[in-house]
mmCIF file with all atom_site columns, all heavy atoms in Angstrom:
data_model
loop_
_atom_site.group_PDB
_atom_site.id
_atom_site.type_symbol
_atom_site.label_atom_id
_atom_site.label_alt_id
_atom_site.label_comp_id
_atom_site.label_asym_id
_atom_site.label_entity_id
_atom_site.label_seq_id
_atom_site.pdbx_PDB_ins_code
_atom_site.Cartn_x
_atom_site.Cartn_y
_atom_site.Cartn_z
_atom_site.occupancy
_atom_site.B_iso_or_equiv
_atom_site.pdbx_formal_charge
_atom_site.auth_seq_id
_atom_site.auth_comp_id
_atom_site.auth_asym_id
_atom_site.auth_atom_id
_atom_site.pdbx_PDB_model_num
ATOM 1  N N   . THR A 1 155 ? 26.185 -8.945  28.723 1.00 90.00 ? 416 THR A N   1
ATOM 2  C CA  . THR A 1 155 ? 24.782 -9.203  28.392 1.00 90.00 ? 416 THR A CA  1
ATOM 3  C C   . THR A 1 155 ? 24.500 -10.694 28.295 1.00 90.00 ? 416 THR A C   1
ATOM 4  O O   . THR A 1 155 ? 23.510 -11.194 28.841 1.00 90.00 ? 416 THR A O   1
ATOM 5  C CB  . THR A 1 155 ? 24.416 -8.509  27.067 1.00 90.00 ? 416 THR A CB  1
ATOM 6  O OG1 . THR A 1 155 ? 24.591 -7.093  27.223 1.00 90.00 ? 416 THR A OG1 1
ATOM 7  C CG2 . THR A 1 155 ? 22.975 -8.792  26.681 1.00 90.00 ? 416 THR A CG2 1
ATOM 8  N N   . PHE A 1 156 ? 25.371 -11.433 27.617 1.00 86.00 ? 417 PHE A N   1
ATOM 9  C CA  . PHE A 1 156 ? 25.122 -12.866 27.473 1.00 86.00 ? 417 PHE A CA  1
ATOM 10 C C   . PHE A 1 156 ? 25.367 -13.621 28.776 1.00 86.00 ? 417 PHE A C   1
ATOM 11 O O   . PHE A 1 156 ? 24.694 -14.622 29.048 1.00 86.00 ? 417 PHE A O   1
ATOM 12 C CB  . PHE A 1 156 ? 25.949 -13.431 26.320 1.00 86.00 ? 417 PHE A CB  1
ATOM 13 C CG  . PHE A 1 156 ? 25.288 -13.246 24.991 1.00 86.00 ? 417 PHE A CG  1
ATOM 14 C CD1 . PHE A 1 156 ? 25.509 -12.104 24.242 1.00 86.00 ? 417 PHE A CD1 1
ATOM 15 C CD2 . PHE A 1 156 ? 24.411 -14.191 24.501 1.00 86.00 ? 417 PHE A CD2 1
ATOM 16 C CE1 . PHE A 1 156 ? 24.879 -11.912 23.025 1.00 86.00 ? 417 PHE A CE1 1
ATOM 17 C CE2 . PHE A 1 156 ? 23.768 -14.018 23.283 1.00 86.00 ? 417 PHE A CE2 1
ATOM 18 C CZ  . PHE A 1 156 ? 24.003 -12.875 22.544 1.00 86.00 ? 417 PHE A CZ  1
ATOM 19 N N   . VAL A 1 157 ? 26.303 -13.151 29.586 1.00 88.00 ? 418 VAL A N   1
ATOM 20 C CA  . VAL A 1 157 ? 26.451 -13.739 30.917 1.00 88.00 ? 418 VAL A CA  1
ATOM 21 C C   . VAL A 1 157 ? 25.184 -13.497 31.730 1.00 88.00 ? 418 VAL A C   1
ATOM 22 O O   . VAL A 1 157 ? 24.692 -14.385 32.441 1.00 88.00 ? 418 VAL A O   1
ATOM 23 C CB  . VAL A 1 157 ? 27.685 -13.158 31.639 1.00 88.00 ? 418 VAL A CB  1
ATOM 24 C CG1 . VAL A 1 157 ? 27.667 -13.521 33.121 1.00 88.00 ? 418 VAL A CG1 1
ATOM 25 C CG2 . VAL A 1 157 ? 28.963 -13.680 30.992 1.00 88.00 ? 418 VAL A CG2 1
ATOM 26 N N   . ALA A 1 158 ? 24.634 -12.284 31.609 1.00 92.00 ? 419 ALA A N   1
ATOM 27 C CA  . ALA A 1 158 ? 23.401 -11.957 32.339 1.00 92.00 ? 419 ALA A CA  1
ATOM 28 C C   . ALA A 1 158 ? 22.232 -12.816 31.857 1.00 92.00 ? 419 ALA A C   1
ATOM 29 O O   . ALA A 1 158 ? 21.417 -13.275 32.669 1.00 92.00 ? 419 ALA A O   1
ATOM 30 C CB  . ALA A 1 158 ? 23.079 -10.472 32.163 1.00 92.00 ? 419 ALA A CB  1
ATOM 31 N N   . ILE A 1 159 ? 22.135 -13.036 30.551 1.00 88.00 ? 420 ILE A N   1
ATOM 32 C CA  . ILE A 1 159 ? 21.071 -13.895 30.018 1.00 88.00 ? 420 ILE A CA  1
ATOM 33 C C   . ILE A 1 159 ? 21.206 -15.307 30.577 1.00 88.00 ? 420 ILE A C   1
ATOM 34 O O   . ILE A 1 159 ? 20.226 -15.917 31.033 1.00 88.00 ? 420 ILE A O   1
ATOM 35 C CB  . ILE A 1 159 ? 21.127 -13.918 28.478 1.00 88.00 ? 420 ILE A CB  1
ATOM 36 C CG1 . ILE A 1 159 ? 20.734 -12.543 27.919 1.00 88.00 ? 420 ILE A CG1 1
ATOM 37 C CG2 . ILE A 1 159 ? 20.218 -15.001 27.909 1.00 88.00 ? 420 ILE A CG2 1
ATOM 38 C CD1 . ILE A 1 159 ? 20.963 -12.398 26.423 1.00 88.00 ? 420 ILE A CD1 1
ATOM 39 N N   . LEU A 1 160 ? 22.432 -15.810 30.575 1.00 86.00 ? 421 LEU A N   1
ATOM 40 C CA  . LEU A 1 160 ? 22.675 -17.167 31.074 1.00 86.00 ? 421 LEU A CA  1
ATOM 41 C C   . LEU A 1 160 ? 22.348 -17.271 32.558 1.00 86.00 ? 421 LEU A C   1
ATOM 42 O O   . LEU A 1 160 ? 21.582 -18.146 32.985 1.00 86.00 ? 421 LEU A O   1
ATOM 43 C CB  . LEU A 1 160 ? 24.131 -17.542 30.820 1.00 86.00 ? 421 LEU A CB  1
ATOM 44 C CG  . LEU A 1 160 ? 24.605 -18.885 31.383 1.00 86.00 ? 421 LEU A CG  1
ATOM 45 C CD1 . LEU A 1 160 ? 23.799 -20.024 30.782 1.00 86.00 ? 421 LEU A CD1 1
ATOM 46 C CD2 . LEU A 1 160 ? 26.095 -19.072 31.121 1.00 86.00 ? 421 LEU A CD2 1
ATOM 47 N N   . LEU A 1 161 ? 22.905 -16.370 33.363 1.00 89.00 ? 422 LEU A N   1
ATOM 48 C CA  . LEU A 1 161 ? 22.669 -16.417 34.806 1.00 89.00 ? 422 LEU A CA  1
ATOM 49 C C   . LEU A 1 161 ? 21.201 -16.178 35.133 1.00 89.00 ? 422 LEU A C   1
ATOM 50 O O   . LEU A 1 161 ? 20.646 -16.801 36.047 1.00 89.00 ? 422 LEU A O   1
ATOM 51 C CB  . LEU A 1 161 ? 23.546 -15.383 35.516 1.00 89.00 ? 422 LEU A CB  1
ATOM 52 C CG  . LEU A 1 161 ? 25.059 -15.633 35.480 1.00 89.00 ? 422 LEU A CG  1
ATOM 53 C CD1 . LEU A 1 161 ? 25.790 -14.501 36.175 1.00 89.00 ? 422 LEU A CD1 1
ATOM 54 C CD2 . LEU A 1 161 ? 25.403 -16.966 36.123 1.00 89.00 ? 422 LEU A CD2 1
ATOM 55 N N   . GLY A 1 162 ? 20.565 -15.264 34.377 1.00 91.00 ? 423 GLY A N   1
ATOM 56 C CA  . GLY A 1 162 ? 19.154 -14.973 34.617 1.00 91.00 ? 423 GLY A CA  1
ATOM 57 C C   . GLY A 1 162 ? 18.266 -16.186 34.379 1.00 91.00 ? 423 GLY A C   1
ATOM 58 O O   . GLY A 1 162 ? 17.379 -16.492 35.179 1.00 91.00 ? 423 GLY A O   1
#
Side-chain angles (χ1 to χ4, degrees):
T416 299
F417 276 90
V418 167
I420 292 171
L421 175 60
L422 293 178

